[in-house]
Amino acid sequence: MTFGSVDRRRFIGTSALAGAAAATTVHPGRLRAEETVRIGFLAPLTGGVAAWGLPGLYGCEIWAEQKNAAGGVEIGGTSYNVEIVSYDNEYLPDKARTGAQKLISEDGVSFIEMLGGDTMPAVTPIANRAEMLVSTLLPSDLSPDTPFLVAPAEVHPIYNLTGVWWMAENMPEAKTAVICAQDDALGRPSVATYLAAFEAHGIEVKDTIFFDISTTDFAPVMTAMLAHKPDILCLDTAYAEFVNELCKQAFVQNYGGQIISCTADFYADIIANTSEEFMEGVIFQFPDFDDPALNSEDINFNDPNGFFEVYNERHPGQWGAVSWEYASILDLWLDGAQKAGSIEPAAVLGGMKQGGKGAHAFGEANWWGEELFGIDNALVGNWPVVQIQNGKAVIVEFKSIPEWWGEHSATMIKHFEAMGEMWYQRA
Amino acid sequence: MMGVVTYAIWLALIALSLAAAALSLDPQLGGPHRRWWWQGLALASAAVLALSPHVVTFSQQELLVFLTINTLVVVSYRLLALTGEFSLGHVVMMGFGAYASALLSKQLAIPVPLSIILAAGLTGLVAFVLAFPLFRMKGFYFLIGSFAAGETIRLLWKAFIGPKGISRIPGVPDIEIGAWEINFWEPVASYYLILVIAAVSIWILWRIEHSHVGLTFHAVHWRDQLAGAVGVNTWRTRTQALVLASFFAGLAGALLAHYITTVNPNRFAVHEMVFVLIWVIVGGTATIWGPIIGLVTLTAINEVLLRDIGYDELRPLFYGVLLVLAMLFLPNGLETLPARLVRHFRRAKLLASQR
Amino acid sequence: MDIAVFLQTCLNATYASSYLALVAVGLVLIFGVMRVVNFAHGELYMAGAYCLFWVFYQNELPFFAGVAVAVLVVAAVGLFLERTMFRPMKDNPLGGLICSIGALLVLQAGAVSLFGVRKKSFAGPYNEAVTLFGVDALTISGQRLVVIAFAVILLGALWAFLRKSRFGWALRAVAQDPEAAALQGISISRISMLAMVLGAALAGAAGALTATIVPTGPYMGHPVIIGAFIVIIVGGLGSLEGAIIASVLYAFTHTFVTTLFDGTIADITGLVLMLIVLVVRPHGLLGKPERA
């Protein structure tokens, strides 16, 4: 990275946090890219939801830095430096709208990455008018009104079915489950997915318990769950710290059965909080990026092990799913831009969706979603099932979501409808 | 270049509201030419407000729209503050207007302009109902009681309408006059619309404050028991203030909902209420201009200056420090700044002449 | 609800009341003496939790060393806030409130820059489950027992201090009537300092004791301060006993409703109950009417 290529807005940050790292990457006489392509990062960076934005920004900065250090990215015969322009939307729709206007009309970005959720409905009309390509981490933002919005990293919560599927195949003795879920836009569609997957695989769900996201004490939640004496505790999609607290409570209240969860970030801490035996066999959906299975040919995330290492060195304790997801979307964007030979948003969208296939982080995937979201803008393919074995997260199998969908789509649609999560049901 | 113009506009807005506060606070200021000063100020304000959206950038136009909506929020908040009670439910009242207008226009297909007015009226009605339990309390009890009432309403939205709120709310319909078309999706058009509504509302609020009713507000604030003894019904007075304040908050909320086309419970959480409280108190409540000064200055700092410096994630740090400094040096609000400066210069001049 | 779930829920609620009481009593003390609505009190609690994280988890020192550091550091922060903001604002309650919001923003941003935005979840040393009285249903983590025990000890010590010592007597006198107390030769300035230091220290202790139980994050103070405000209002401003009684009532209601229904309904129930109490008794359970 040379001084001139450091983004003005980010300069203070990168120089303060990674002064040494930046210094080592300055090579006089290195190839300079001809042009700059700007990518907007419009997510909460302050406030209670910042944990879903800020760690992702760190990941994107590392991604851009690595690309720029290698002389930029080559699109349509021109080499570009990548510059990430961030705008803190504080997870508020009005600030997101202002931010989108600024990124599009003043910063001249070619693509905007967002967390989505509460902030998306205010940005969608702006993106549609400007024909600006936008990505979200929450596919529930997709609808037929969002032709320029893609959900290319994780099609939350659909992939959660892969864990249940694997569990049903490998642990046929587990027959009853209880689900607890945080009561928000993250937890509710996830419940629908788990309910569908459990039903499809003949597991009876005894109860579903919602808790508010301001909950700090999970003892009562766990007491209520364990009152049903389930074979399986399903923690749904919950914030990392909630998963941790729920596991601690299950441990303290002497639970001995199977646990399945969407995430288990910082699982090493959970093991320290409970015990290795207690956490042995827990199933979730997010691999460590030093997992050797990620070095396979069909994985599209560039150098996952190296990325994981740099990230942890620079931002210790901040790694989680969002750390790589925003960066993996940049890989997909780059692939689309290279296929289109242009950085024009509409062309990149065309490149991304060429032939109905896209280069997802976990392998080639299909553009899909019409039946659930009303538009084929979600990228689904294989998703890893991860299990804790001897205190370490291990990818036990990649399962194909399209294959499951072919067989059980009606069950999933039924539960999405019952939860009021189908695109045409949203208020 | 654009940046300089932007800062000039924000500084002009701050300066104009400071000048208005100075004139309001000091009845001697301007002497015999006082009327001219007011007229000049009004003209200058009109010119700056009319011009500003055309010289700033696109995203700054958005900021101006939200600034105008928030002006309505802070000015109406001050009306209740006049009676001596500070509420933590005002932003929920704003949200009530937003939700009501969204539902009326989307579910019942009521035309948007009508739904906005109905929503504001409904918000006033809800405030009237809430007044019965809330005005049994005073001071800090009222502060937290109003929070509890507001938070209950907000959690009910979350439980019954959903945590994602409502989206795809219809906007204010376009107006076509011959070949001339006004599209309120454009920030400039919405800005003028909301500016006119806010100006009329501020005028109404100003008239109320200086009417017989307004005088009782002040009386209830400063001499609660005395006012009661001379026949002022303190409960009724406070209820009037709460209902009026909530009406305008609901109006602001409805305008916001139709502009950004979405509402959700998080937007009206106590965190946002705290910002309203900050704007009003940092600005000062002695004049109607005080809350506006606080709003404009702090918005300029938080949304323009601190974002330009970069490093978004540290904005709350600077903002927090500035709040403390503002309160320590101007405990009665930014509105007292001109008077403080004038006094300071007079004293310096006096000292110089004595030497 | 069978008896096992009932007993377990009682235990959960006892824990919840104990740390809430620690936070709320400090808040009452500060309000009673200085008439400042300390919005930053939740962030003092948060600072206590991070102190423990720093001492116990990052530097691997004993748990109680972490608690002691938290108490000292947070008391010092409290003292700093009192000197720099609350004292100059002593006749301006709204100014004090805004200053405390400023302090809140600074403390949160400080935690983000020192420890990152993601929450920390780490285990305490007394993590194993303890079964009380040989009843299986009465199972609780040792860490929660520590919190309960400390809450009882600290609140008992505070009560004794306020009742028996000269300082305590002076402090209560100022809380009741600052002018009369000043006429009696009590230094309001010293008493304010004492109240702030004690209140902050209690918040710091609560934060440190619960840091291994709740997720430690920059915004962890928010739900705590809301609970504490509800509690001190229901109990009646200025009444320590009221705050403790209200903590128990609130925590039991909230915990039982969460177990029986869900967290959102529990929040709504807590708020509505509080409004009902205030309608019936506009000055809380044990509060006295404020003079105009």
Side-chain angles (χ1 to χ4, degrees):
Chain A
M1 180 189 284
T2 56
F3 192 82
S5 73
V6 177
D7 163 16
R8 177 181 56 89
R9 313 189 109 254
R10 305 297 321 158
F11 175 67
I12 312 172
T14 31
S15 61
L17 288 173
T24 54
T25 52
V26 174
H27 294 288
R30 177 180 283 283
L31 278 171
R32 285 284 301 275
E34 302 151 34
E35 308 260 346
T36 295
V37 58
R38 293 171 152 217
I39 290 170
F41 189 94
L42 181 59
L45 303 178
T46 60
V49 196
W52 291 82
L54 197 54
L57 177 61
Y58 297 152
C60 290
E61 280 166 355
I62 293 172
W63 187 92
E65 208 175 285
Q66 289 179 341
K67 294 284 182 235
N68 295 342
V73 295
E74 179 89 17
I75 299 166
T78 314
S79 76
Y80 291 92
N81 257 316
V82 183
E83 185 181 327
I84 308 287
V85 188
S86 67
Y87 192 96
D88 174 19
N89 69 25
E90 299 172 31
Y91 207 52
L92 296 174
D94 31 356
K95 301 211 175 178
R97 178 179 165 128
T98 310
Q101 292 280 31
K102 178 176 172 295
L103 292 171
I104 295 170
S105 57
E106 284 146 51
D107 297 317
V109 299
S110 303
F111 173 48
I112 297 177
E113 287 205 81
M114 286 182 68
L115 168 63
D118 282 3
T119 53
M120 193 55 85
V123 171
T124 301
I126 306 234
N128 286 349
R129 291 204 174 206
E131 305 200 340
M132 172 54 64
L133 181 60
V134 179
S135 73
T136 176
L137 292 191
L138 306 172
S140 53
D141 290 334
L142 294 174
S143 78
D145 301 334
T146 59
F148 293 92
L149 180 67
V150 290
E154 58 162 299
V155 180
H156 177 268
I158 307 304
Y159 52 79
N160 285 336
L161 66 89
T162 62
V164 176
W165 183 8
W166 188 87
M167 188 171 64
E169 282 177 359
N170 292 280
M171 304 170 179
E173 66 290 351
K175 279 291 160 211
T176 58
V178 178
I179 304 176
C180 70
Q182 66 189 47
D183 193 3
D184 69 353
L186 203 65
R188 297 188 77 92
S190 184
V191 168
T193 307
Y194 275 112
L195 286 172
F198 283 132
E199 184 183 321
H201 296 287
I203 295 165
E204 185 199 349
V205 177
K206 295 268 199 181
D207 198 5
T208 302
I209 295 161
F210 286 97
F211 57 86
D212 191 75
I213 51 160
S214 62
T215 308
T216 51
D217 184 6
F218 288 91
V221 177
M222 189 49 66
T223 305
M225 286 178 89
L226 296 188
H228 295 283
K229 308 203 184 324
D231 299 332
I232 302 164
L233 272 189
C234 174
L235 308 184
D236 199 64
T237 306
Y239 293 164
E241 63 276 10
F242 293 170
V243 173
N244 200 326
E245 296 308 320
L246 285 163
C247 288
K248 272 199 229 173
Q249 276 309 314
F251 174 70
V252 168
Q253 297 185 26
N254 291 320
Y255 177 67
Q258 177 64 32
I259 293 176
I260 185 166
S261 171
C262 176
T263 63
D265 294 0
F266 311 125
Y267 64 83
D269 290 334
I270 310 182
I271 292 172
N273 289 342
T274 57
S275 73
E276 201 170 310
E277 305 84 73
F278 179 78
M279 291 300 287
E280 183 68 17
V282 169
I283 296 167
F284 62 110
Q285 313 285 170
F286 286 89
D288 283 347
F289 267 48
D290 58 356
D291 197 304
L294 290 180
N295 295 330
S296 121
E297 282 280 301
D298 25 292
I299 297 298
N300 291 315
F301 195 92
N302 184 33
D303 184 19
N305 303 170
F307 181 81
F308 185 67
E309 199 182 318
V310 175
Y311 193 99
N312 277 320
E313 199 175 296
R314 242 183 247 183
H315 308 286
Q318 305 296 301
W319 177 266
V322 292
S323 304
W324 61 266
E325 282 176 344
Y326 289 103
S328 84
I329 296 174
L330 292 178
D331 275 325
L332 179 79
W333 172 83
L334 179 59
D335 183 66
Q338 284 170 337
K339 278 186 189 150
S342 156
I343 59 167
E344 276 308 304
V348 175
L349 179 63
M352 270 185 185
K353 295 183 76 173
Q354 218 171 66
K357 302 265 183 199
H360 187 274
F362 296 136
E364 194 173 71
N366 304 331
W367 286 101
W368 166 92
E370 174 88 49
E371 286 162 286
L372 278 190
F373 310 122
I375 191 166
D376 276 336
N377 277 7
L379 190 59
V380 301
N382 290 339
W383 195 272
V385 179
V386 181
Q387 192 180 32
I388 296 181
Q389 295 176 356
N390 303 321
K392 176 82 187 130
V394 177
I395 298 179
V396 286
E397 196 180 342
F398 281 92
K399 285 265 181 204
S400 161
I401 299 170
E403 192 188 322
W404 190 95
W405 184 257
E407 239 171 281
H408 303 291
S409 60
T411 316
M412 185 75 87
I413 290 171
K414 181 182 86 185
H415 284 285
F416 261 65
E417 210 153 44
M419 197 63 69
E421 290 290 334
M422 293 296 284
W423 63 269
Y424 48 77
Q425 292 176 307
R426 286 183 226 135
Chain B
M1 188 53 215
M2 218 53 169
V4 177
V5 173
T6 300
Y7 280 96
I9 290 290
W10 284 99
L11 284 174
L13 290 175
I14 296 169
L16 288 168
S17 42
L18 277 173
L23 277 173
S24 299
L25 277 175
D26 184 353
Q28 314 300 217
L29 198 63
H33 307 298
R34 200 170 151 79
R35 262 187 79 110
W36 291 19
W37 283 41
W38 269 119
Q39 284 165 353
L41 194 59
L43 259 158
S45 303
V48 171
L49 288 170
L51 260 175
S52 50
H54 299 288
V55 293
V56 298
T57 59
F58 219 51
S59 68
Q60 300 278 327
Q61 293 174 351
E62 298 282 349
L63 279 185
L64 287 174
V65 175
F66 299 127
L67 184 80
T68 330
I69 293 174
N70 284 334
T71 306
L72 209 44
V73 178
V74 292
V75 171
S76 60
Y77 188 73
R78 175 175 168 273
L79 191 73
L80 179 61
L82 283 182
T83 67
E85 299 299 354
F86 284 79
S87 156
L88 284 182
H90 201 62
V91 162
V92 174
M93 290 292 114
M94 180 192 183
F96 194 94
Y99 266 85
S101 193
L103 289 172
L104 287 172
S105 61
K106 211 182 152 181
Q107 309 290 351
L108 303 181
I110 291 175
V112 170
L114 186 61
S115 80
I116 292 177
I117 294 166
L118 280 175
L122 281 173
T123 314
L125 195 65
V126 167
F128 177 70
V129 175
L130 286 178
F132 286 90
L134 286 183
F135 284 128
R136 288 183 56 82
M137 310 158 205
K138 275 165 62 181
F140 188 55
Y141 289 94
F142 177 81
L143 187 82
I144 300 296
S146 61
F147 160 75
E151 189 68 2
T152 306
I153 294 173
R154 197 181 73 86
L155 288 173
L156 289 173
W157 297 334
K158 205 175 150 186
F160 291 105
I161 301 175
K164 287 194 74 165
I166 304 169
S167 53
R168 295 191 297 280
I169 300 168
V172 177
D174 298 353
I175 297 177
E176 266 179 75
I177 306 167
W180 204 40
E181 199 183 327
I182 305 175
N183 179 345
F184 289 103
W185 195 84
E186 299 292 337
V188 179
S190 266
Y191 166 77
Y192 284 130
L193 173 72
I194 297 169
L195 186 67
V196 170
I197 294 174
V200 172
S201 305
I202 290 172
W203 179 74
I204 294 172
L205 287 166
W206 190 88
R207 287 299 299 256
I208 291 172
E209 189 188 339
H210 293 87
S211 71
H212 175 73
V213 179
L215 293 178
T216 58
F217 289 177
H218 284 284
V220 167
H221 183 181
W222 297 110
R223 286 280 184 273
D224 189 323
Q225 276 150 6
L226 185 64
V230 297
V232 175
N233 182 335
T234 55
W235 183 85
R236 203 180 74 189
T237 309
R238 289 199 164 113
T239 303
Q240 281 170 344
L242 181 70
V243 169
L244 282 167
S246 300
F247 175 89
F248 289 105
L251 182 63
L255 290 169
L256 178 76
H258 292 289
Y259 183 64
I260 60 173
T261 71
T262 179
V263 290
N264 63 65
N266 179 45
R267 172 63 182 78
F268 306 105
V270 69
H271 178 264
E272 302 312 303
M273 182 61 231
V274 163
F275 275 88
V276 173
L277 197 64
I278 290 171
W279 292 329
V280 172
I281 296 175
V282 168
T285 53
T287 69
I288 206 163
W289 314 108
I292 300 178
I293 300 170
L295 169 68
V296 177
T297 312
L298 290 173
T299 304
I301 289 172
N302 201 29
E303 299 298 329
V304 186
L305 183 67
L306 290 179
R307 284 191 194 271
D308 272 358
I309 292 171
Y311 221 22
D312 274 0
E313 38 303 13
L314 282 184
R315 281 189 306 139
L317 182 78
F318 296 113
Y319 198 79
V321 172
L322 284 172
L323 284 186
V324 174
L325 292 179
M327 283 334 289
L328 288 180
F329 292 102
L330 291 164
N332 294 320
L334 293 173
E335 64 185 357
T336 56
L337 182 67
R340 293 268 297 251
L341 288 177
V342 167
R343 221 179 309 139
H344 180 80
F345 283 126
R346 276 193 192 140
R347 199 180 308 142
K349 226 164 141 187
L350 199 68
L351 282 174
S353 65
Q354 282 170 347
R355 211 167 279 147
Chain C
M1 183 176 246
D2 64 25
I3 187 79
V5 175
F6 175 79
L7 290 176
Q8 183 67 50
T9 306
C10 286
L11 218 51
N12 296 340
T14 309
Y15 155 76
S17 5
S18 61
Y19 84 89
L20 190 57
L22 279 180
V23 177
V25 162
L27 201 56
V28 164
L29 212 56
I30 294 169
F31 184 86
V33 173
M34 307 198 312
R35 305 279 139 181
V36 163
V37 182
N38 184 17
F39 261 75
H41 208 66
E43 276 54 42
L44 295 176
Y45 165 84
M46 176 270 283
Y50 271 110
C51 283
L52 189 94
F53 175 75
W54 176 56
V55 173
F56 168 73
Y57 186 79
Q58 290 191 321
N59 288 306
E60 297 178 12
L61 291 168
F63 180 78
F64 287 105
V67 177
V69 168
V71 167
L72 291 174
V73 168
V74 178
V77 173
L79 184 63
F80 176 79
L81 295 183
E82 200 271 334
R83 289 270 128 173
T84 54
M85 322 174 173
F86 296 152
R87 176 161 312 182
M89 290 285 125
K90 72 178 188 316
D91 299 320
N92 184 353
L94 288 168
L97 186 146
I98 295 297
C99 281
S100 77
I101 295 171
L104 169 157
L105 292 172
V106 171
L107 285 168
Q108 284 179 349
V112 170
S113 34
L114 287 174
F115 297 99
V117 74
R118 298 210 63 172
K119 298 185 186 174
K120 316 284 179 193
S121 203
F122 56 105
Y126 312 107
N127 212 31
E128 61 280 8
V130 179
T131 304
L132 300 177
F133 316 117
V135 182
D136 262 353
L138 287 177
T139 304
I140 187 170
S141 81
Q143 207 66 50
R144 285 176 184 237
L145 274 186
V146 171
V147 178
I148 297 172
F150 258 80
V152 172
I153 295 169
L154 289 175
L155 294 175
L158 180 73
W159 188 82
F161 173 76
L162 291 181
R163 295 284 147 182
K164 307 284 175 209
S165 75
R166 246 192 72 79
F167 248 132
W169 167 81
L171 205 144
R172 281 185 297 135
V174 175
Q176 271 164 19
D177 191 336
E179 280 159 43
L183 286 175
Q184 298 226 351
I186 297 173
S187 159
I188 304 238
S189 144
R190 278 171 69 190
I191 294 300
S192 297
M193 213 163 79
L194 180 75
M196 188 70 209
V197 167
L198 278 177
L202 285 175
L209 289 167
T210 54
T212 59
I213 298 174
V214 301
T216 298
Y219 308 104
M220 71 190 291
H222 182 68
V224 178
I225 188 82
I226 287 179
F229 272 139
I230 292 178
V231 160
I232 67 170
I233 281 292
V234 170
L237 282 173
S239 165
L240 296 183
E241 293 86 350
I244 293 171
I245 293 171
S247 295
V248 174
L249 286 179
Y250 179 76
F252 268 79
T253 313
H254 199 275
T255 312
F256 269 89
V257 177
T258 306
T259 312
L260 287 171
F261 302 98
D262 72 39
T264 309
I265 296 178
D267 285 345
I268 295 176
T269 312
L271 293 166
V272 170
L273 275 182
M274 168 192 162
L275 280 173
I276 292 172
V277 169
L278 287 184
V279 168
V280 180
R281 293 186 61 90
H283 307 288
L285 294 174
L286 299 182
K288 294 185 197 73
E290 266 186 277
R291 277 162 307 173

